[in-house]
Amino acid sequence: MASSPDPSDAPHAPATAADSAAVPDSAGPLVVQPLKRRRCAECGAGPLTMLALEGGAPRCLDCADLGHLVYLPRGDTALTRRARADSGLSAVVVRFHRRRGRYERQGVLVEEAALARAERRCLADAEARARRRVRDAARRAAEDVRFTEAFAAEIHRLFPGCPRDRAHAIAAHASVRGSGRVGRSAAGRALSKGAVTAAVAAAVRHTATPYDQLLMSGVPRGQARRRIAAAVESTLRAWREP
């Protein structure tokens, strides 16, 4: 099936029904990025990177009274929306996509002053978002400190024989935000006995037994756990005593 023609391929001919159907509707002037080398039908300037069609003939932006506008490529929706809203005159820029057989929007032409004002507003928004991110990060950090302290206190309550610095280290490791560790599970956040005990047992397993070496030597995980289970339980039993 033949694709819709590029209107800029017929620079001196009147627009056809196919051409009109191919170009998307747009509020205000429409500017085309031509696929082929074209010259202005009025002043002869070219080849044109952008053109406006008038009566099926290409006009350069100056001859189409759009030369004072600046090009804003697509990509920043908020900036584009604000620049167009603040610009007394604007134009949508399109280019024909041969494989897809349709025109696709590439950006807009807007008044330079309107673009500058839109950029300042977007910059102010970006600064506000940055300040909010800093505040949110500080709030999360404070929440993490409080949670780690609560987790350490619960470890010490369940295992009063565990050294306080060790309890805090276990709590800090288990409660790292986004780690997926037991301290960040629903049970961990609720400071359930099972979750706290699991965090302590895991710490003992990795730091006070040859568990990691067994895994590195190729011992299956279940078998490695069985080998060091007695040592882990012995430490937990000792720490349960004041």
Side-chain angles (χ1 to χ4, degrees):
M1 179 182 295
S3 61
S4 300
D6 178 359
S8 63
D9 290 344
H12 300 293
T16 65
D19 292 338
S20 300
V23 179
D25 292 332
S26 171
L30 187 72
V31 170
V32 177
Q33 292 179 342
L35 302 181
K36 299 180 180 179
R37 296 167 65 88
R38 290 291 175 259
R39 291 187 174 277
C40 177
E42 186 169 329
C43 69
L48 302 175
T49 58
M50 295 186 193
L51 59 87
L53 286 169
E54 292 182 357
R59 297 287 191 279
C60 68
L61 297 187
D62 284 333
C63 290
D65 292 330
L66 301 174
H68 65 293
L69 302 180
V70 294
Y71 178 53
L72 174 60
R74 66 182 180 183
D76 191 326
T77 304
L79 180 60
T80 299
R81 182 180 65 252
R82 286 173 168 171
R84 287 201 74 191
D86 207 24
S87 185
L89 177 64
S90 65
V92 174
V93 180
V94 298
R95 184 169 63 227
F96 189 73
H97 194 294
R98 291 188 185 278
R99 183 172 59 82
R100 296 174 183 165
R102 66 171 185 251
Y103 279 87
E104 295 185 344
R105 183 168 173 159
Q106 303 302 308
V108 294
L109 293 172
V110 293
E111 295 169 345
E112 188 170 6
L115 177 57
R117 289 190 293 269
E119 287 173 335
R120 287 194 296 269
R121 293 173 63 191
C122 287
L123 181 60
D125 285 353
E127 291 174 348
R129 287 193 296 270
R131 290 194 297 270
R132 184 167 61 248
R133 285 194 295 269
V134 170
R135 292 195 302 270
D136 289 345
R139 174 182 51 77
R140 288 192 297 268
E143 291 173 352
D144 290 347
V145 169
R146 289 193 295 270
F147 178 67
T148 298
E149 293 296 338
F151 204 96
E154 188 63 11
I155 290 175
H156 192 69
R157 188 184 72 82
L158 295 175
F159 300 93
C162 177
R164 287 190 178 273
D165 58 343
R166 187 69 186 280
H168 194 277
I170 294 172
H173 179 79
S175 60
V176 172
R177 184 183 292 268
S179 64
R181 295 169 187 156
V182 66
R184 280 295 166 181
S185 65
R189 292 195 300 274
L191 298 178
S192 74
K193 180 178 179 180
V196 174
T197 301
V200 175
V204 173
R205 185 183 306 120
H206 288 288
T207 62
T209 75
Y211 179 67
D212 290 353
Q213 291 87 342
L214 292 174
L215 295 180
M216 290 298 295
S217 66
V219 177
R221 186 172 65 89
Q223 184 178 342
R225 283 202 172 198
R226 287 192 293 272
R227 288 190 188 182
I228 54 89
V232 172
E233 184 54 38
S234 176
T235 299
L236 297 183
R237 188 181 310 113
W239 282 357
R240 287 190 181 98
E241 298 297 327

